Amino acid sequence: YVVFRHFTLGATYMIDPTPPNDAGKTSERRILGGFAGATLGRFTALIENDSINDRSNDTLPQLALAEVNYLVMKGHNVKLLYEFYDPDQRHDGDIRDRTSLIYEAFPYAPLQVRLGVRRAVGPVDDTASNYRKYFVELHAIY
């Protein structure tokens, strides 16, 4: 990756050998990803795209993420997040995506409180992939 004052650009590549299956055959998963980020005043943005070649089950998944953060004031952030997942690029109609609007507060350094709403959209016949969720999270870092 390369980092500049207001911009970051990078790529990743990974080879992950998989354990032998029932027939004793081994395989591997290859992941290629690229990402970029930028900061402008109180705004920070990040995009990432990952392609996976999973030879163990012969699929071509693709994942993508885009987020924009706005620093309201010190310790208070609003985030708009979009996540995309295509389990196999060779098949139509199996795409899933999520959009989230999240408020984050950091009362002090090791504690984060998150309030948000998330809307997920997936295949029409998959009710588990289609929902709207409101959530509250507490993250403690020690």
Side-chain angles (χ1 to χ4, degrees):
Y1 62 92
V2 179
V3 178
F4 300 98
R5 183 172 180 200
H6 297 286
F7 189 71
T8 300
L9 183 66
T12 58
Y13 183 74
M14 181 183 81
I15 299 174
D16 183 18
T18 59
N21 62 15
D22 294 337
K25 182 180 176 187
T26 60
S27 186
E28 65 186 19
R29 173 181 289 169
R30 294 173 182 247
I31 302 173
L32 174 63
F35 59 91
T39 299
L40 182 61
R42 293 177 176 258
F43 288 94
T44 302
L46 171 70
I47 58 171
E48 180 177 349
N49 187 5
D50 298 309
S51 293
I52 302 170
N53 185 341
D54 194 346
R55 296 179 180 182
S56 62
N57 62 13
D58 195 34
T59 61
L60 291 169
Q62 182 176 12
L63 301 103
L65 171 127
E67 76 175 57
V68 175
N69 292 275
Y70 176 71
L71 182 63
V72 178
M73 67 175 80
K74 185 176 180 180
H76 299 272
N77 184 57
V78 176
K79 175 184 299 201
L80 180 61
L81 177 65
Y82 175 76
E83 300 163 285
F84 171 89
Y85 174 57
D86 185 354
D88 195 339
Q89 298 173 51
R90 297 172 297 192
H91 297 100
D92 292 334
D94 61 351
I95 294 173
R96 296 164 175 83
D97 62 16
R98 304 191 310 185
T99 305
S100 304
L101 181 62
I102 303 168
Y103 165 74
E104 301 171 316
F106 302 86
Y108 67 101
L111 187 66
Q112 177 192 38
V113 179
R114 299 176 86 202
L115 308 167
V117 60
R118 177 171 292 136
R119 181 178 149 261
V121 178
V124 176
D125 58 345
D126 183 4
T127 56
S129 295
N130 294 283
Y131 61 87
R132 178 172 292 171
K133 176 170 51 172
Y134 300 90
F135 58 90
V136 176
E137 298 174 347
L138 177 66
H139 297 257
I141 302 164
Y142 59 94

